[in-house]
Amino acid sequence: MQKIKSLMTRQGLRSPQESVNDLSPIESFRIPTKEDLRELHEEPTDPQAQQEIINSIEEVYFSNDSFDIVKYELERLPPVLSLQELEEYRDKLKQQQAAVSKKVADLILEKQPAYVEELERVTSLQSGLQLAAVICTNGRRHLNIAKEGFTQTSLGLLANQRKRQLLIGLLKSLRTIKTLQRTDVRLSEMLEEEDYPGAIQLCLECQKAASTFKHYSCISELNSKLQDTLEQIEEQLDVALSKICKNFDINHYTKVQQAYRLLGKTQTAMDQLHMHFTQAIHNTVFQVVLGYVELCAGNTDTKFQKLQYKDLCTHITSDSYIPCLADLCKALWEVMLSYYRTMQWHESHDQDEAAVVSSDSNNVIGSEENSFDRNYVKKKLEHGLSRIWQDVQLKVKTYLLGTDLSNFKYDDFIFVLDVISRLMQVGEEFCGSKSEVLQESIRKQSVNYFKTYHRTRLEELRMFLENETWELCPVKSSFSILQLHEFKFMEQSRSPSVSPSKQPASAVSSTVTLFEQYCNGGNPFEIQADSKDDETEDVLASNGYESDEQEKSAYQEYDSDSDVPEELKRDYVDEQTGDAPIKSISRETLRSRKRSDYNLNKVNAPILTNTTLNVIRLVGKYMQMMNILKPIAFDVIHFMSQLFDYYLYAVYTFFGRNDMFESTGLGLSSSRLRTTLNRIQESLIDLEVSADPSGTLTAAEERKEKVPSPHLSHLVVLTSGNSLYGLAERVVATESLVFLAEQFEFLQPHLDAVMPAAKKPFLQQFYSQTVSTASELRKPVYWIVAAKAIDYEQMLLLMANVKWDVKEIMSQHNVYVDALLKEFEEFNRRLNDVSKRVRIPLPVSNILWEHCMRLANRTLVEGYANVKKCSNEGRALMQLDFQQFLMKLEKLTDIRPIPDKEFVETYIKAYYLTENDMESWIKEHREYSTKQLTNLVNICLGTYINKKARQKLLATIDDIDRPKR
């Protein structure tokens, strides 16, 4: 092997790899020499033997090129060297080497053509590689040029750009950090500007930015500072929310709600808002009352500030009570108005949000959360209405009960009721509450106050009646109770700007509520002087005439037909059909018809007295109180009815009570009137002059509710015939009562509207049994005048002197007829004289004439019943006298038919009855007295029937008279 290597070394041969690496284009491959080949051929040429020798070579020689043969062989030497063995071993190695060399040489020779061919290819490849090396060298040179001229510059630019971008980002971060550091200043400015949503938005954005730059050490401290700032904003936001309670500002509240929404605390805000409203009510009323208490105390003592609100209310003086109440209600109104406007804001906002949600259905989860918040807020606000109003009621109730109102003037007390009524109206509009707390507290005070007030007024009314001279109070013909100050409230249209005491009880409330009316300004509890109340009442007429022109025209001849309605120009109008008979009316009849009203010198002004006006004014005041405080409506109407009862009882006691005339059985006082008078006497009139000390407490209480019976003033004279026994005073008294009844009739719808349903039967009974009987009082009052105005006794004496048993028919009537007619003419004259003082209405004159004619006719019957003897001619004379009386009487009066005309005629005709007819006639005509019927039996039939038949008729008369006894 070593030989081969040495041979290859001598030949300049190398391994293929070495040859390729070190090959140059000019270098040629050398072929082994002949000597080398000969030396190789000297070795054994037997291929088999040669192969055996090669096979005997140890494996270690074929391991690798780094194998050290010398070292290996030296290490194998035995410890004891033998030359022969060494030589033998050396020869063996030489043989092996020679075999290997031979084998290699053979292989080389065998592969030499392929080697030469491959060598040529290698040479060619070497040339190509050299060319490629030249190209690469040139490329590298050009790349170096490009690197120096372009690549380094561009990459430098890119590097600088990247560095610039990093620096810009850093600058932006630094600016953001700088802005975050200055955020507290801007937040303070925004809070001063009350831009709470902007402040919270900025704070949240800063917190978000701070979390982005939390890797900077300076940001960690800023983050905690922002959290403190956010908490501070929430505190200021709560303060801003509390301001809403007293003065609602829509822009301010919108900002606050937006801010709470950004914080995600909408429900918390609503809870806080209700707490603030409750606190606002307490603080407001306390400060208002405290201000008045300190003002009245006149010092700056702080002891009042430590008092409870209930105790503080007891220190309010009477003078400052009303202004304080007004200011208290005004302050509470502002709180409730703010709550009302808060609800309005949420309703409007919810509608807008609902519209937005319906148009955008993408964000379902967010819309559901908003809907839940809206429902929560809505329910909270609705529930808060009753809570707020309950707090208001309790505060006002405490104030009301803190002062004794019993000594207040009527107008002051009415004002208190007016304010409380307006407050209850506010409560009803605010939450639909009936204000039971306020109603109960004011009802108790009102009933107690009103009982005392009514008792005083009844005593005053008794004093007025006892000092009343029943002179006519001159008022204009256009007088109406609505012109009186006390009834101004009925003229006002019911609107929020008019207080309840000045509103009609039956008026339909306007659709505009107080909150809508005063939503943008003003206050329903402002104390404003009513300019109309300052006006003078223009109801009185001068000298009984409304103007000089009317006074002149009153005395002109009363012949003009122009002012007479067509139906009055007729002689008679059928009440059923309204048709008039064909007979025309004469001017004389028209004149007499006009004269029957006895109104030639007075206009048709209402007849009333100063006492009547006083009662009407009291009724107006009572209605004011009733209209303001409807829960005590029954008590007020009951007291009001007592005013009318007492007035009616006084008029009856003064002018209508006469036992002698009431016993005539003419039915002058109807059963309804007698029942009413008895009821009044039992329930209202104290018949005992002095209290009985031995009486029970219950009896004393009952008497306390009663009033002594009034006594007629000694200035009123009812016994003079010249004045027709006080006819003027009687007319004024009865007609003023009728006028008062008419006013009660006018007020009935208003009273019925406020009367509780359970108590309405009382009101209906009062009108049907008391008010409607006022006109019925005319009959007993004027009956006394009619009974005294004509001398009926003188007429009976004249009739007694007449001979009725004449034997021939007379053509001339008797003297008593002329005397009676003269009495009527005198009565007519005196009636005209009285009418110059007081207008005598047509119903009054008719009643007077009816009474006189009825009494005259009954006197005629009584005179005829006194006849001892009578012939048929005498009966004819009776008819002649009566017909003459009727003919002359019809010229004096328009009343048709003449009252009791048939009463006389039937009695006269009874003289012609037979025995059989008389019995049935007696049974049918029970209106005649026993004496009159007995006279018929004794005088008419006495000479024609036997004693037994007469006794039978007298027994029949006695049977008829027995039930009357």
Side-chain angles (χ1 to χ4, degrees), residues 148-174:
E148 293 175 359
F150 175 75
T151 304
Q152 287 182 350
T153 304
S154 299
L155 292 177
L157 288 174
L158 292 174
N160 291 334
Q161 178 65 18
R162 180 173 177 274
K163 186 177 181 180
R164 180 174 178 274
Q165 292 296 331
L166 292 174
L167 291 175
I168 289 174
L170 178 61
L171 180 61
K172 185 177 180 181
S173 299
L174 292 175

Side-chain angles (χ1 to χ4, degrees), residues 79-103:
V80 180
L81 298 175
S82 172
L83 182 59
Q84 184 179 357
E85 290 177 358
L86 288 173
E87 286 181 354
E88 288 178 358
Y89 186 68
R90 184 193 65 181
D91 291 339
K92 180 181 179 180
L93 290 174
K94 281 184 177 183
Q95 288 178 359
Q96 291 176 348
Q97 182 182 15
V100 170
S101 298
K102 179 71 169 58
K103 182 68 174 177

Side-chain angles (χ1 to χ4, degrees), residues 750-801:
H750 304 276
L751 301 179
D752 189 69
V754 297
M755 191 69 158
K759 301 294 184 179
K760 285 190 177 182
F762 167 82
L763 186 64
Q764 295 169 358
Q765 185 178 14
F766 169 67
Y767 272 93
S768 63
Q769 296 186 7
T770 305
V771 177
S772 61
T773 60
S775 60
E776 296 179 9
L777 203 59
R778 285 170 171 162
K779 285 188 176 183
V781 170
Y782 297 131
W783 178 266
I784 298 174
V785 176
K788 295 180 178 182
I790 295 175
D791 192 353
Y792 303 103
E793 294 297 329
Q794 179 64 27
M795 189 174 65
L796 287 174
L797 293 175
L798 292 174
M799 293 179 70
N801 296 327

Side-chain angles (χ1 to χ4, degrees), residues 883-910:
Q883 291 302 321
Q884 181 66 20
F885 172 69
L886 292 178
M887 182 180 66
K888 296 293 185 181
L889 188 61
E890 287 178 350
K891 294 181 179 180
L892 295 176
T893 179
D894 299 329
I895 298 176
R896 302 292 185 274
I898 299 298
D900 283 353
K901 174 184 175 183
E902 293 182 355
F903 184 79
V904 180
E905 291 178 341
T906 303
Y907 189 80
I908 294 174
K909 292 177 181 178

Side-chain angles (χ1 to χ4, degrees), residues 45 195 279 478 646 685 741:
T45 57
D195 184 11
Q279 191 66 28
S478 60
Y646 196 70
I685 305 303

Side-chain angles (χ1 to χ4, degrees), residues 671-722:
S671 60
R672 185 174 60 170
L673 178 59
R674 288 195 300 271
T675 302
T676 298
L677 291 171
N678 291 334
R679 177 188 60 79
I680 296 173
Q681 183 171 300
E682 293 174 2
S683 63
L684 187 61
I685 305 303
D686 183 8
L687 299 177
E688 300 180 21
V689 178
S690 60
D692 184 6
S694 63
T696 62
L697 181 63
T698 305
E701 288 295 327
E702 290 179 356
R703 292 196 59 215
K704 189 177 180 181
E705 300 295 328
K706 295 183 178 182
V707 188
S709 179
H711 302 286
L712 183 63
S713 171
H714 67 278
L715 298 176
V716 180
V717 179
L718 303 179
T719 58
S720 173
N722 293 330

Side-chain angles (χ1 to χ4, degrees), residues 26 52 98 107 159 166 213 230 249 262 278 309 373 393 455 518 563 587 626 757 768 771 859:
I26 58 172
E52 292 178 353
L107 290 173
L166 292 174
F213 298 103
L230 189 60
D249 180 79
L262 289 173
T278 303
Y309 173 71
D373 287 343
Q393 283 193 94
R455 175 69 187 178
Y518 295 100
D563 60 340
R587 296 184 66 82
M626 174 185 61
S768 63
V771 177
T859 303

